[in-house]
Amino acid sequence: MYGVREWWRDMAGELAGLVLPADCAGCGLPRTGLCARCAGLLRDACTAVRRVRPHPPPRGLPAVYAALPYADEVRAVLLAHKERGALRLAAPLGSVLAASVRAVADAAAEKAAGPGPGTGPAAADAEPLLLVPVPSARRAVALRGHDPVRRVALAAAGELRRGGRPARVLAVLRQRRPVADQAGLTARQRAANLAGALEVPAGAGRLAAEGPVVVVDDLVTTGASLAEAARALSGAGGRVVGAAVVAAAAGR
């Protein structure tokens, strides 16, 4: 008998077909979501996180950790999630971002470790990590129908909590003025375009002071967005310990 449960099952299948491409979002092979090879590529990236540094680095850029190079299948997966609304990709991308966040937190804990009580990595692990996504412009969010960085950040926070590390997303950054499209701009032009563009609204600064802050984004190119986010958060009283991204553009 075709009842409510069957109707919901079929409706979910129809919605999945609309949301996700029929082919693998990474390599294009006929699959739903990701093929085994591309899923393995993202999974293996969780053990290959490294520190990256744009050249030249913008002023105020915190330590940045990335898991993947922004090329080929990785680029395709990020674009499918961001621009084509393949929302189920947030979960595997969130796992990759979580690995980068762990690297930031571990490096910060190691730096803070000392001979005194309460200064080592165990104490740092007890503090909730505050994942602050770099905000997208309101127009971009409206056109895409979702905020991709925030969605991946939420998936990453869930992955971290399941692994025993307290974490939550703190979306406190706002654009205080319009900025130009970054595509085609040089590193210096991007830094000028974003200088002073972000802010933490009044009253939200106390939230950013409740634990170590990790700025998160899907991609780092020149680092201008991460540097501006770190500036705004630090100015509001946040303790920025680093930045984490899924992928880094070539040459970083």
Side-chain angles (χ1 to χ4, degrees), residues 189-220:
Q189 289 169 334
R190 288 192 178 206
N193 182 42
L194 290 171
L198 299 180
E199 66 177 355
V200 177
R206 61 179 181 80
L207 298 175
E210 293 179 352
V213 172
V214 181
V215 182
V216 296
D217 207 345
D218 56 353
L219 171 68
V220 59

Side-chain angles (χ1 to χ4, degrees), residues 4 20 36 40 64 74 110 112 130 144 171 205-206 230:
V4 174
L20 289 172
V64 183
V74 175
E110 183 177 348
L130 305 178
R144 291 169 179 152
R206 61 179 181 80

Side-chain angles (χ1 to χ4, degrees), residues 75-241:
R75 179 178 183 275
V77 170
L78 283 171
L79 288 177
H81 175 256
K82 177 184 286 187
E83 305 296 350
R84 300 207 302 274
L87 303 184
R88 288 187 181 178
L89 296 176
L93 290 173
S95 294
V96 176
L97 181 61
S100 296
V101 172
R102 287 190 196 98
V104 173
D106 290 346
E110 183 177 348
K111 183 177 180 181
T119 59
D125 284 350
E127 294 185 286
L129 293 173
L130 305 178
L131 277 54
V132 179
V134 173
S136 300
R138 290 183 180 179
R139 175 178 170 80
V141 173
L143 289 173
R144 291 169 179 152
H146 73 123
D147 187 333
V149 177
R150 184 174 182 178
R151 185 178 292 275
V152 174
L154 288 168
E159 180 77 11
L160 290 164
R161 289 193 298 270
R162 285 189 292 273
R165 193 181 290 261
R168 60 189 176 95
V169 174
L170 193 64
V172 295
L173 285 173
R174 299 288 185 272
Q175 288 192 341
R176 61 190 298 238
R177 63 171 176 79
V179 296
D181 188 347
Q182 297 275 83
L185 298 183
T186 65
R188 181 174 295 180
Q189 289 169 334
R190 288 192 178 206
N193 182 42
L194 290 171
L198 299 180
E199 66 177 355
V200 177
R206 61 179 181 80
L207 298 175
E210 293 179 352
V213 172
V214 181
V215 182
V216 296
D217 207 345
D218 56 353
L219 171 68
V220 59
T221 50
T222 66
S225 297
L226 297 175
E228 171 59 15
R231 179 206 63 78
L233 288 162
S234 297
R239 177 161 50 95
V240 179
V241 296

